[in-house]
């Protein structure tokens, strides 16, 4: 896509949804971090159902560490890979207490040093919590960027770097959310809803649906 078309696409997404945000439910930075860790290979809806049980009894790192791996697992057993996720959440809670006084760090290196936190999770936290212009490329964004010709790449890191280059600065803080929502509800994996797409005329996908 030409840069002018990229800018126009984001202008339309912003006009339709001026203040996009994550669909994960959270009450503080720690809860956002935990929710994103739990969301790996799970839906936001499923994670929200689990955290509505978990966060009232463990709202911060200290309470989560006290709850422990078994207690966490009991509250999140409805989501996939819950045993491993419970282990990671218990460990990252203790590490936050030991290294960061229970607070979520605002540096990528510190975030990625936490159990269960990879590049994508760190990018979500840096963007959503600290409002840094990062791009967390999940399966939705990877698909949209390649399908539309917005920022093609062979892997998620390549797409991330391409998006950071090609998305105009005025849209960078919210681009991550617009792209995820577009991929989740319009540019879906099996059959994109091109007839409902507000950027259809800008998109370079050849097999558009009605």
């Amino acid at each position: 896509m030409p840069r002018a078309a990229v800018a126009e696409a984001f202008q339309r997404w912003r006009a339709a949804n001026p203040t996009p945000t994550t669909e994960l439910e959270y009450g503080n930075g720690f809860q956002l971090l935990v929710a994103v860790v739990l969301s790996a290979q799970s839906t936001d809806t499923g994670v929200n159902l689990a955290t509505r049980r978990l966060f009232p009894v463990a709202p911060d790192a200290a309470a989560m560490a006290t709850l422990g791996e078994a207690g966490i697992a009991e509250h999140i057993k409805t989501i996939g890979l819950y045993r491993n996720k419970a282990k990671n959440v218990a460990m990252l809670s203790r590490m936050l207490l030991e290294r960061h006084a229970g607070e979520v760090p605002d540096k990528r290196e510190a975030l990625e040093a936490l159990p269960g936190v990879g590049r994508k999770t760190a990018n979500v936290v840096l963007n959503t919590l600290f409002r840094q212009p990062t791009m967390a490329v999940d399966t939705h964004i990877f698909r949209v960027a390649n399908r539309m010709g917005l920022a093609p790449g062979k892997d998620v890191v390549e797409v991330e770097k391409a998006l950071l280059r090609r998305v105009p600065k005025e849209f960078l803080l919210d681009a991550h959310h617009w792209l995820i929502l577009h991929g989740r509800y319009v540019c879906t994996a099996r059959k994109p809803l091109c007839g409902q797409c507000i950027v259809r005329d800008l998109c370079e996908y050849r097999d558009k649906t009605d």
Side-chain angles (χ1 to χ4, degrees), residues 4 9 35 55 58 75 78 84 91 112-113 121 127 144 153 163 166 185 193 204 207:
F55 289 158
H75 286 84
T78 53
N84 191 55
M91 291 172 61
E112 291 186 5
T121 296
N127 179 257
V144 168
L163 285 168
R166 304 200 80 229
Y185 296 112
L193 306 178
E204 295 182 352
D207 300 319

Side-chain angles (χ1 to χ4, degrees), residues 153-173:
K154 297 188 295 293
D155 55 48
V156 293
V157 175
E158 194 170 303
V159 168
E160 176 187 332
K161 292 179 179 178
L163 285 168
L164 290 173
R165 286 194 310 270
R166 304 200 80 229
V167 175
K169 287 185 178 180
E170 66 176 297
F171 303 113
L172 268 179
L173 279 178

Side-chain angles (χ1 to χ4, degrees), residues 60-198:
D60 53 36
M64 194 72 75
T66 299
L67 184 60
E69 182 179 337
I72 296 168
E74 187 63 27
H75 286 84
I76 67 168
K77 60 185 179 182
T78 53
I79 63 176
L81 306 174
Y82 77 93
R83 294 184 191 279
N84 191 55
K85 290 177 181 179
K87 180 179 179 180
N88 284 334
V89 169
M91 291 172 61
L92 75 80
S93 299
R94 292 194 296 271
M95 193 175 292
L96 286 175
L97 291 168
E98 294 167 1
R99 299 185 181 181
H100 305 287
E103 299 298 319
V104 178
D106 62 357
K107 299 291 189 294
R108 176 186 302 281
E109 295 76 12
L111 283 167
E112 291 186 5
L114 298 171
V117 179
R119 185 179 184 88
K120 185 187 78 173
T121 296
N123 278 336
V124 172
V125 173
L126 291 171
N127 179 257
T128 304
L129 184 60
F130 298 109
R131 299 303 286 156
Q132 296 182 21
T134 59
M135 194 70 63
V137 179
D138 66 353
T139 55
H140 294 300
I141 293 182
F142 184 79
R143 177 177 67 254
V144 168
N146 277 287
R147 180 184 277 168
M148 291 183 62
L150 182 65
K154 297 188 295 293
D155 55 48
V156 293
V157 175
E158 194 170 303
V159 168
E160 176 187 332
K161 292 179 179 178
L163 285 168
L164 290 173
R165 286 194 310 270
R166 304 200 80 229
V167 175
K169 287 185 178 180
E170 66 176 297
F171 303 113
L172 268 179
L173 279 178
D174 292 314
H176 157 79
H177 296 300
W178 284 316
L179 290 170
I180 282 182
L181 293 171
H182 186 65
R184 185 173 288 165
Y185 296 112
V186 181
C187 197
T188 51
R190 292 187 179 180
K191 187 178 180 182
L193 306 178
C194 299
Q196 302 176 25
C197 180
I198 63 174

